[in-house]
Amino acid sequence: QVQLVESGGGLVQAGGSLRLSCAASGRTFRVYTMGWFRQAPGKEREFVAAITWTGSNTYVADSVKGRFTISRDNAKNTVYLQMNSLKPEDTAVYYCSFKSGDIQYDIRNAYPYWGPGTQVTVSS
């Protein structure tokens, strides 16, 4: 099994920045992907960003492109999400996720492992 724990969420004003971290523990795989999804009240959980552990390919959703950056620390099995120029519509619970392989990186149901989530609130 893989266990994930997010940290770094909080309350910020519009235009501010936050850096989320997610550390994976337990069994990992030779080829895998870690990603970030978010869920706002009354909405479906949506893809935000993902990164693979082979070619270090990164992917970001159009809604956050140019503002959010995903990165990794291989030695710590940790993924980061740097969020800049935050907007009120970014307010959501942000979930870290893990899957084997490097395909279906933006498919919610392809990820079997999830962290408990961390709240990000952006005030106007």
Side-chain angles (χ1 to χ4, degrees), residues 96-113:
C96 178
S97 56
F98 179 101
K99 66 180 296 295
S100 62
D102 56 2
I103 61 174
Q104 298 183 311
Y105 57 86
D106 60 344
I107 306 300
R108 180 180 61 250
N109 292 341
Y111 288 82
Y113 302 103

Side-chain angles (χ1 to χ4, degrees), residues 20-102:
L20 305 183
S21 300
C22 175
S25 62
R27 182 178 179 179
T28 56
F29 304 86
R30 177 184 177 186
V31 179
Y32 60 94
T33 303
M34 294 183 69
W36 290 95
F37 290 74
R38 67 185 183 185
Q39 187 166 22
K43 298 184 65 176
E44 295 289 324
R45 191 171 300 186
E46 65 176 355
F47 171 76
V48 177
I51 185 168
T52 66
W53 251 253
T54 50
S56 190
N57 298 309
T58 61
Y59 311 91
V60 296
D62 289 341
S63 60
V64 302
K65 189 172 297 182
R67 300 187 297 119
F68 291 11
T69 302
I70 189 169
S71 61
R72 72 186 190 193
D73 185 328
N74 292 352
K76 297 181 179 180
N77 277 346
T78 298
V79 65
Y80 305 95
L81 185 67
Q82 179 66 47
M83 305 185 295
N84 299 325
S85 301
L86 284 162
K87 305 174 181 179
E89 51 262 44
D90 294 319
T91 296
V93 176
Y94 283 70
Y95 296 92
C96 178
S97 56
F98 179 101
K99 66 180 296 295
S100 62
D102 56 2

